[in-house]
Amino acid sequence: GAVVSQHPSWVICKSGTSVKIECRSLDFQATTMFWYRQFPKQSLMLMATSNEGSKATYEQGVEKDKFLINHASLTLSTLTVTSAHPEDSSFYICSARLLQETQYFGPGTRLLVL
Amino acid sequence: RKEVEQDPGPFNVPEGATVAFNCTYSNSASQSFFWYRQDCRKEPKLLMSVYSSGNEDGRFTAQLNRASQYISLLIRDSKLSDSATYLCAVILNTGTASKLTFGTGTRLQVTL
C-alpha cells in the first residue's frame, strides 16, 4: 500500500489565489521530505528539501517566498503556492525518507491555474 | 551540463524485444544510483537500485560503470506493460543533505 499520501490530488484555481498541498508519510516518521515539480515531458525537478522542525532548503531558482514549506511534524509537510499564476501549473510531487533509507513518493498533485 | 542525462526517446519496440537504456551523470562523487519507472500522470516508482557489480531482477538488469559515469538498464522479453518512462536517478551527498536527482527520462513504447 501507499506509504506517502498527498492531498489534494488535483486542484484548479484562479490566478492570484494560494494553494496548499499536504504530504503525509504513513506508518513511518520521515526525517526528511522533498518537494519536486514536473512540467510536461520534463524530469522531476527538486524544489526544496525540508527537515522536521527546521527551515526548508530551496534549490537555486526556486523562490522561497512563493513556495512556502512547513514541516511541522515527522509525518506532515505542506507546500503552499502563494499567489499562483498560470506558469505555476504543474505536477507537484512530494517524497519522504527516514534517515538514509528508501525515498518514497506521494501520488502527486496536479495544479492548474487559470 | 545537466547532472543526469538520458536519451528521451521514444524507443518503440515490439513485444519480446530486448531494449537497453543508458544514463550518464556528471558528478563523480555521486553515491547511489537508481532506475525508476513513471507511468503517465503518476508518481515515479522505484524499479531497482544499481550497483557496480550489476544486479538483475527478473527481466531487468542494471549496471553501473563508475569509471565512465554511466548507468544502464536492460529489459529482456519486453511486455506491453513495460511501456512507461524510465528515469535514472542519482544521489549526491552534499554534506547537509543527500539529494535524489533525476534524468529527464526515456520513454518506452512496446507494441504488438
Side-chain angles (χ1 to χ4, degrees):
Chain A
V3 293
V4 177
S5 69
Q6 266 184 256
H7 178 80
S9 55
W10 59 268
V11 59
I12 301 173
C13 68
K14 291 182 180 179
S15 188
T17 58
S18 293
V19 176
K20 181 188 277 189
I21 303 170
E22 290 188 352
C23 175
R24 291 182 186 275
S25 59
L26 310 173
D27 299 328
F28 76 101
Q29 294 184 322
T31 48
T32 308
M33 286 186 167
F34 304 85
W35 287 96
Y36 291 82
R37 179 168 57 179
Q38 186 177 34
F39 292 107
K41 298 187 187 296
Q42 295 186 26
S43 185
L44 283 81
M45 297 301 297
L46 180 64
M47 299 175 67
T49 302
S50 77
N51 294 296
E52 185 263 342
S54 61
K55 288 184 180 179
T57 302
Y58 289 81
E59 294 300 301
Q60 194 172 14
V62 178
E63 299 174 56
K64 61 181 181 180
D65 294 329
K66 181 166 181 64
F67 299 99
L68 302 178
I69 292 172
N70 185 292
H71 192 164
S73 77
L74 284 170
T75 59
L76 173 65
S77 176
T78 61
L79 167 69
T80 301
V81 183
T82 61
S83 186
H85 291 284
E87 58 267 28
D88 297 323
S89 299
S90 190
F91 189 40
Y92 292 86
I93 308 175
C94 74
S95 69
R97 189 178 72 200
L98 172 61
L99 299 175
Q100 299 301 320
E101 296 182 10
T102 301
Q103 193 166 322
Y104 296 97
F105 286 84
T109 297
R110 204 159 291 279
L111 171 64
L112 177 61
V113 184
L114 303 175
Chain B
R1 185 185 171 186
K2 290 181 183 176
E3 291 185 46
V4 183
E5 293 202 64
Q6 291 180 255
D7 179 346
F11 283 53
N12 294 300
V13 303
E15 243 189 329
T18 296
V19 62
F21 307 135
N22 285 332
C23 166
T24 58
Y25 59 97
S26 60
N27 195 320
S28 59
S30 299
Q31 299 170 304
S32 303
F33 309 88
F34 308 90
W35 282 102
Y36 281 79
R37 171 193 169 127
Q38 186 176 27
D39 292 289
C40 189
R41 295 178 176 272
K42 300 284 188 182
E43 77 276 22
K45 292 197 190 300
L46 180 65
L47 186 62
M48 57 201 306
S49 301
V50 190
Y51 307 108
S52 298
S53 54
N55 48 306
E56 188 174 311
D57 183 1
R59 298 181 292 109
F60 299 82
T61 301
Q63 194 82 41
L64 165 65
N65 185 317
R66 282 191 181 271
S68 302
Q69 294 181 205
Y70 80 79
I71 309 153
S72 64
L73 177 68
L74 183 78
I75 305 176
R76 290 181 297 278
D77 189 23
S78 300
K79 311 289 185 194
L80 292 175
S81 57
D82 294 334
S83 299
T85 297
Y86 290 83
L87 304 163
C88 74
V90 305
I91 285 185
L92 177 63
N93 192 327
T94 62
T96 54
S98 55
K99 302 190 296 184
L100 188 62
T101 301
F102 287 90
T104 52
T106 299
R107 196 156 67 85
L108 171 65
Q109 184 66 50
V110 181
T111 57
L112 287 170

